Amino acid sequence: MTADKPAATMPDANYFDQWYADMTASPVRDAIWARALGLPPHLRSTSTLTWQGIGELTGELRLPPDGLLLDLACGRGGYGIEVARRTGARLVGVDFSAVAVEEAAAAGARLLPAGRAEFRVGALVAAGLPDGVADGLMCVDAVQFAEPPLAALREFRRLLAPGGRLAVTGWEVVDPSDERIPPRLHHVDLRRDLPEAGFVEVEVRDMREWRQAEREMWEEVVAVVGSDQAMRSLQAEGRRSLEMFDSIRRVFVTATAP
């Protein structure tokens, strides 16, 4: 996910199904993304988390041996699969795009031992899983798509076992008066909302290095000459992102379920 999407209202599953289908047919897009974020070719990303960022997120989850990791809004599955590879955790990925879930399942079958990963269709606010099922939960660059974000945070708390760790990456508004910023980002305030959702040990970090990598990625994207549908869409998003770049900050947020 990225901070903005070229849609007047909140994007739905059909929108993202087409978005992911276009992406799958765009090797140029994946090559630029991997190079800018330092990702290996096998990691199919749909967000802007760097390779270094994956390491930081993995460490903060503190997954126990053979623990269960939930990756909500998993997209094509790359980040959750990589965390599971590093930790030996079992993985359940959830996304409301059936196209994304299909691709994530194929990647999980290639990259993880048999029976260690499951991917299913579900929503940020209704994952369709039992209470307290997870030892760790990650949500990369997507919490702004919940209506409202607080509802997603309450779902995260429901899904985590006592002592379970939450790791969320995303963006928050620096200048609330900037009308260029999508309204959904104005609703994201994780320092305020995580305690209300029932979390403790909330830590919000301003990730300037991640944000700089994101700027460099967008600059490379918009400079490409000649492109497919996925790249044309991405270039439009890149131009919008660069225009409002200094009004948004990149955050990495961790918390614990008591």
Side-chain angles (χ1 to χ4, degrees):
M1 306 293 170
T2 46
D4 188 23
K5 287 287 176 292
T9 58
M10 190 71 75
D12 60 13
N14 291 331
Y15 172 89
F16 277 108
D17 282 347
Q18 186 60 56
W19 189 65
Y20 284 115
D22 290 343
M23 193 180 301
T24 300
S26 180
V28 173
R29 181 264 180 212
D30 278 341
I32 291 174
W33 214 262
R35 183 167 57 250
L37 300 177
L39 305 176
H42 71 262
L43 198 159
R44 299 300 187 186
S45 168
T46 49
S47 305
T48 64
L49 186 61
T50 64
W51 186 246
Q52 177 184 340
I54 296 173
E56 294 175 75
L57 182 147
T58 302
E60 288 293 346
L61 283 168
R62 304 172 195 168
L63 288 161
D66 202 41
L68 180 65
L69 169 65
L70 296 187
D71 182 5
L72 295 195
C74 66
R76 298 193 289 175
Y79 290 123
I81 290 170
E82 181 61 27
V83 175
R85 278 165 55 104
R86 296 186 185 195
T87 62
R90 293 169 291 124
L91 172 65
V92 175
V94 178
D95 199 281
F96 75 163
S97 167
V99 173
V101 167
E102 183 178 357
E103 186 166 347
R110 290 194 307 270
L111 298 170
L112 293 172
R116 301 295 290 180
E118 172 192 348
F119 295 89
R120 57 169 63 195
V121 175
L124 281 168
V125 299
L129 295 164
D131 293 358
V133 69
D135 300 291
L137 191 155
M138 57 187 283
C139 182
V140 176
D141 298 350
V143 72
Q144 72 272 16
F145 293 112
E147 296 187 88
L150 178 58
L153 302 182
R154 286 176 171 151
E155 177 72 347
F156 298 169
R157 175 63 190 89
R158 182 186 72 78
L159 293 166
L160 279 167
R165 290 282 290 170
L166 175 69
V168 176
T169 71
W171 300 268
E172 292 185 345
V173 172
V174 172
D175 180 2
S177 68
D178 193 334
E179 297 180 355
R180 298 171 299 172
I181 299 172
R184 57 184 161 269
L185 282 185
H186 284 277
H187 300 151
V188 177
D189 188 335
L190 296 170
R191 190 185 302 278
R192 176 196 66 200
D193 289 346
L194 279 166
E196 184 173 345
F199 285 94
V200 298
E201 299 177 355
V202 175
E203 183 176 0
V204 180
R205 307 177 200 174
D206 190 345
M207 306 303 289
R208 295 182 182 180
E209 289 185 11
W210 296 8
R211 189 65 170 149
Q212 180 58 33
E214 190 177 342
R215 181 194 291 273
E216 292 169 2
M217 180 196 71
W218 287 131
E219 290 172 345
E220 183 172 357
V221 163
V222 300
V224 171
V225 177
S227 56
D228 52 39
Q229 177 57 40
M231 280 299 299
R232 287 192 292 272
S233 175
L234 196 65
Q235 286 174 318
E237 183 177 350
R239 286 188 285 270
R240 287 192 302 274
S241 295
L242 289 170
E243 287 173 359
M244 61 185 182
F245 200 84
D246 292 333
S247 290
I248 297 174
R249 68 187 186 115
R250 192 80 165 98
V251 295
F252 175 34
V253 184
T254 56
T256 302

